[in-house]
Amino acid sequence: MSQFDSIRPYQDSEVKSTLKRLINDPEFTSTLIKFRFPRARGAFLALTSFALRQVLKFKVRNVNKVYDFQVMVERYMAHMVKTTTSQLSSSGLDHLDLSKPHLFISNHRDIALDPAFVNYILHNNGQDTVQIAIGDNLLTKPWVADMMRLNRSFIVKRSASAKREKLANLKELSAYIQHTLNETGDHIWIAQREGRAKDGLDITNSALISMLALNKPKEQSFAEYISQLNIVPVSISYEFDPCDLAKANELVEQNEHGEYQKQEHEDIYSISRGIVGQKGQVHVHFAEPLSGEYESAKEVAEALDKAIIGNYQLMPTNWIALGDAIPEGIPANELANAKRYFEAKSRDVSAEVRSQLYAMYANPIKARQQLSE
């Protein structure tokens, strides 16, 4: 049994059995149907579930490897990009030696799409896809875990409460990441912090860097170990966030009541909303790998913040939300579209939610301005 069996992605030998388990899971098929037909019940749900299972069996009949599954997913990803974005662009890849495995650390705005866009861009540039770090808090259903691990996701165990167990999980994760980079030779994607930046402020949690360093040999310097990880800061910019109102409502509730109670499986619905919602322009920038004589996790986190915030592509929505002088060169029609977007979004919400909505879009500019001070 492998040292990392409890957290690693599924392997080729596990693909067929996992797909069979998924297709025969009534909750999996009914969930897919309810995304399209929310009120599906009784005989209609049973009939459509049966039909869906037959369709799925046909679609995956030739899926024997993880690569086959990802090729199938790529077709749906291409359709999503075509129908929900006005433009997907990238920059910085030409500065990377992708023959070496890299640890991509990005800002975190969307649960599923952040790594999906990184994967899609790498794939379209002739590169292998990344292994994706995903928190076990998202794996509320067995079928969700199966889907994620089929798509090369590995599990970050966050549910432990005892300190000893937490430390053991962190050490396992640190060892797995180093093993994957050095032995397997795969790229890895991980978010700069747990949870999405709902307020639009992309700040790296230095605890992430401390976790990465848990597997550092005693005789090796901290700076050398960090350098060998080939950490690439990644900035993912969305013109429109399909989950923006939900995020604004959550932040307002936290401010007013001190906490926010998530609904059951709320993250799964956020994933769905992010996938199907309109995103406008999306840009992904890959910075050069971190290099420096870093002496602490805090210094590495600050370097990540500087690169991620500094390379975030500011959108018309950011400038309209800020409300200050708008720089020249932004097309007037894009600014007008951004203004209409906010007018439509804030039409039926409270003043507090409206203020929070504008703030989350304005914050990337404010963060950039603070960098230059």
Side-chain angles (χ1 to χ4, degrees):
M1 186 174 181
S2 167
Q3 175 187 357
F4 304 113
D5 275 353
S6 66
I7 64 172
R8 63 165 175 77
Y10 288 147
Q11 299 171 348
D12 289 344
S13 60
E14 298 165 296
V15 169
K16 277 295 186 184
S17 60
T18 303
L19 288 172
K20 182 178 180 180
R21 185 166 61 246
L22 276 169
I23 292 171
N24 290 324
D25 186 333
E27 191 167 30
F28 170 64
T29 52
S30 65
T31 299
L32 292 181
I33 290 167
K34 287 181 178 180
F35 280 141
R36 178 66 179 85
F37 305 105
R39 297 183 180 180
R41 297 288 188 278
F44 176 78
L45 180 59
L47 182 61
T48 51
S49 294
F50 174 80
L52 178 60
R53 282 195 294 274
Q54 308 316 306
V55 170
L56 291 174
K57 287 177 183 178
F58 179 79
K59 284 183 176 291
V60 304
R61 67 194 185 284
N62 295 320
V63 177
N64 301 302
K65 299 179 180 180
V66 172
Y67 176 78
D68 300 333
F69 180 78
Q70 289 207 301
V71 168
M72 184 176 69
V73 170
E74 190 272 340
R75 292 196 292 268
Y76 291 100
M77 183 75 185
H79 176 75
M80 184 274 294
V81 170
K82 182 179 180 180
T83 57
T84 71
T85 72
S86 57
Q87 181 184 36
L88 173 61
S89 56
S90 67
S91 55
L93 271 183
D94 51 334
H95 298 302
L96 301 179
D97 179 5
L98 292 174
S99 65
K100 302 175 183 177
H102 288 76
L103 175 56
F104 297 104
I105 300 183
S106 83
N107 57 332
H108 195 23
R109 299 302 184 85
D110 187 276
I111 296 172
L113 290 182
D114 295 341
F117 280 126
V118 170
N119 255 345
Y120 188 73
I121 289 166
L122 288 172
H123 174 75
N124 285 344
N125 281 273
Q127 298 297 316
D128 289 336
T129 55
V130 299
Q131 288 197 27
I132 300 166
I134 182 169
D136 61 0
N137 56 299
L138 298 176
L139 309 181
T140 55
K141 296 289 184 181
W143 64 264
V144 178
D146 279 343
M147 284 290 292
M148 294 299 188
R149 296 179 77 180
L150 269 180
N151 200 35
R152 304 194 76 202
S153 293
F154 61 92
I155 298 171
V156 178
K157 296 176 181 176
R158 292 174 176 154
S159 55
S161 55
K163 288 184 178 180
R164 182 174 296 181
E165 185 181 1
K166 282 184 177 180
L167 181 58
N169 290 341
L170 290 173
K171 286 182 175 179
E172 179 185 37
L173 179 61
S174 181
Y176 179 77
I177 289 173
Q178 188 192 41
H179 170 82
T180 300
L181 293 170
N182 294 346
E183 304 299 328
T184 309
D186 286 341
H187 301 303
I188 284 178
W189 175 92
I190 193 167
Q192 67 180 160
R193 72 185 199 192
E194 179 183 346
R196 292 167 292 167
K198 300 181 180 73
D199 56 6
L201 293 173
D202 301 312
I203 306 298
T204 304
N205 186 349
S206 60
L208 168 67
I209 311 304
S210 298
M211 177 276 293
L212 294 173
L214 285 175
N215 209 50
K216 180 186 76 66
K218 289 183 179 179
E219 65 276 7
Q220 190 175 27
S221 72
F222 179 81
E224 183 182 4
Y225 187 78
I226 292 299
S227 177
Q228 288 182 355
L229 292 176
N230 283 328
I231 296 175
V232 174
V234 179
S235 308
I236 306 175
S237 314
Y238 296 86
E239 183 178 12
F240 309 123
D241 182 345
C243 297
D244 51 14
L245 274 184
K247 292 177 181 178
N249 276 291
E250 178 177 336
L251 291 171
V252 168
E253 187 164 332
Q254 283 180 333
N255 291 336
E256 292 181 349
H257 305 290
E259 63 177 353
Y260 172 76
Q261 292 292 332
K262 279 189 178 182
Q263 299 297 313
E264 187 179 13
H265 313 310
E266 183 174 323
D267 287 330
I268 304 303
Y269 291 105
S270 293
I271 290 173
S272 174
R273 190 184 297 116
I275 291 171
V276 303
Q278 291 298 313
K279 291 163 276 290
Q281 301 176 62
V282 179
H283 185 78
V284 182
H285 179 81
F286 299 86
E288 294 185 1
L290 294 186
S291 61
E293 293 301 316
Y294 304 111
E295 297 183 357
S296 67
K298 183 174 182 292
E299 289 184 7
V300 177
E302 289 172 350
L304 276 163
D305 291 346
K306 184 176 180 180
I308 290 172
I309 294 169
N311 290 302
Y312 188 93
Q313 180 167 295
L314 299 173
M315 302 286 186
T317 41
N318 301 123
W319 291 107
I320 291 296
L322 185 68
D324 286 353
I326 297 173
E328 295 181 2
I330 303 177
N333 65 310
E334 292 185 7
L335 291 170
N337 190 35
K339 189 174 181 180
R340 286 194 296 270
Y341 177 82
F342 284 116
E343 290 172 350
K345 280 278 182 173
S346 57
R347 189 171 295 139
D348 299 315
V349 300
S350 68
E352 292 79 11
V353 171
R354 180 181 184 276
S355 177
Q356 187 64 67
L357 177 70
Y358 275 73
M360 71 170 63
Y361 280 95
N363 277 338
I365 300 178
K366 294 180 179 179
R368 176 82 62 83
Q369 292 169 341
Q370 289 176 358
L371 276 181
S372 60
E373 291 177 355

